[in-house]
Amino acid sequence: MPRDFRVMGVVNVTPDSFSDGGRFLDPEAAVAHALRLAAEGADILDFGGESTRPGAEPVPAEEERRRVVPVIERVAGAGVAAQLSIDTSKAEVAEAAIGAGATLVNDVTALRGDPRMAAVVAEHGVDCCLMHMRGEPRTMQIEPRYDDVVAEVAAFLEERTAFALAQGVAEERILVDPGIGFGKALEHNLELLRRLDELVAGGRPVVVGTSRKSFLGLLTGRAEPADRLAGTIATNVLALERGASVFRVHDVAPVREALAVAAATVSERWTPTTSSGTTTS
Ligand code: HH2
């Protein structure tokens, strides 16, 4: 069998996201985009109504809810097979999104942003992604420093997992994410990707989000986020090889294709078969 993986397609219903801000603020455009990503093979659709790019200002809950909930409702109503995820750190938004059909809460503050969030996740029995972030989006990229970034991120994710469990979140519902680009300099992002297996060893499914991020621009000279697909694919393939399970990306079709090939090559047992069932060479 090839290695299992899930692709999480990003649907930003925001005016200011770093790579696609404003493109899907209109609900029609956001729904169409979500359905397109589902058709491209997204296993999860991650809806966000607040940018967390470096320097971003917080959005009031009411506005965030107004942006994402109708879109989730309509995508759920369209009967897509993909799991629906809400990218928020506000309990009120998470609750409304769950009501509309979301079954995964992707919280970049790892349940620290809102004291009610853990209870909402536990009570509704939904999945939860706990992400590492140093500081907050407004200030996180001002000279981030770590002694050992991988050890610190691993300890943080372990501590947040213990917190979630203590609050009643079921063990099998928890995913963890090193938070690439969240309070990290280039060398920190690279070290986290290089030693991702150490986070995988923690035993929870690992989510990675490298898609179009600025460290890829630093490495390739690509100033435009939308031009960073090659770097996105390279990092996702390496992350899969190092044991990551969920890949959060803007460009679902090409990344899914690359991961399908990578997933087949990391397994020793899997061999392709023709439609008649015979092995090809
Ligand atoms: N990255 C972003 C947002 N949410 N969630 C998880 N779990 N992991 C990530 O790496 C992650 C995330 C930033 O990307 P994007 O949503 O495209 O941009 P913005 O925050 O500007 O809307």
Side-chain angles (χ1 to χ4, degrees), residues 69-146:
V69 172
V71 175
I72 295 175
E73 241 158 33
R74 284 182 48 192
V75 174
V80 295
Q83 178 177 26
L84 307 186
S85 164
I86 175 68
D87 186 344
T88 189
S89 51
K90 300 185 187 76
E92 182 186 330
V93 177
E95 233 165 1
I98 291 166
T103 57
L104 167 57
V105 173
N106 175 24
D107 182 357
V108 299
T109 72
L111 308 179
R112 295 174 301 159
D114 186 325
R116 276 205 321 119
M117 187 65 113
V120 167
V121 170
E123 275 161 28
H124 292 277
V126 293
D127 294 337
C128 178
C129 178
L130 306 173
M131 197 196 79
H132 176 272
M133 170 165 52
R134 165 68 65 85
E136 44 150 354
R138 221 164 33 81
T139 53
M140 67 189 176
Q141 288 307 103
I142 302 170
E143 288 196 48
R145 286 215 180 86
Y146 299 84

Side-chain angles (χ1 to χ4, degrees), residues 63-248:
E63 170 64 13
E64 201 181 321
R65 208 154 37 111
R66 202 184 56 74
R67 290 178 185 171
V68 286
V69 172
V71 175
I72 295 175
E73 241 158 33
R74 284 182 48 192
V75 174
V80 295
Q83 178 177 26
L84 307 186
S85 164
I86 175 68
D87 186 344
T88 189
S89 51
K90 300 185 187 76
E92 182 186 330
V93 177
E95 233 165 1
I98 291 166
T103 57
L104 167 57
V105 173
N106 175 24
D107 182 357
V108 299
T109 72
L111 308 179
R112 295 174 301 159
D114 186 325
R116 276 205 321 119
M117 187 65 113
V120 167
V121 170
E123 275 161 28
H124 292 277
V126 293
D127 294 337
C128 178
C129 178
L130 306 173
M131 197 196 79
H132 176 272
M133 170 165 52
R134 165 68 65 85
E136 44 150 354
R138 221 164 33 81
T139 53
M140 67 189 176
Q141 288 307 103
I142 302 170
E143 288 196 48
R145 286 215 180 86
Y146 299 84
D147 287 330
D148 178 341
V149 67
V150 179
E152 287 173 52
V153 167
F156 172 89
L157 294 176
E158 213 168 284
E159 185 272 319
R160 296 320 294 163
T161 298
F163 173 80
L165 292 171
Q167 299 296 308
V169 178
E171 192 156 2
E172 66 277 13
R173 298 262 168 224
I174 300 172
L175 302 108
V176 296
D177 184 330
I180 299 294
F182 284 85
K184 282 135 194 140
L186 172 63
E187 80 238 42
H188 302 132
N189 293 321
L190 296 179
E191 188 70 1
L192 283 164
L193 290 170
R194 202 176 287 129
R195 293 167 52 197
L196 200 66
D197 55 328
E198 293 177 39
L199 300 180
V200 172
R204 312 275 157 214
V206 170
V207 180
V208 281
T210 63
S211 188
R212 301 182 176 180
K213 285 186 177 167
S214 64
F215 79 106
L216 300 175
L218 291 176
L219 293 170
T220 59
R222 293 287 186 185
E224 264 307 307
D227 292 340
R228 296 174 185 155
L229 177 59
T232 298
I233 289 176
T235 46
N236 279 289
V237 164
L238 288 167
L240 177 120
E241 194 263 338
R242 287 158 201 178
S245 307
V246 178
F247 303 84
R248 184 182 184 279

Side-chain angles (χ1 to χ4, degrees), residues 1 268-273 279-280:
M1 288 293 288
E268 280 148 32
R269 285 173 293 133
W270 186 75
T271 47
T273 54
T279 302
T280 60

Side-chain angles (χ1 to χ4, degrees), residues 8 10 12 14 16-20 46 50-53 87 106 108 129 131 177 179-180 182 207-211 213 248 250:
M8 178 188 249
V10 179
N12 283 323
T14 61
D16 57 345
S17 285
F18 79 94
S19 84
D20 53 6
D46 190 35
E50 176 181 51
S51 173
T52 49
R53 76 182 195 290
D87 186 344
N106 175 24
V108 299
C129 178
M131 197 196 79
D177 184 330
I180 299 294
F182 284 85
V207 180
V208 281
T210 63
S211 188
K213 285 186 177 167
R248 184 182 184 279
H250 302 83

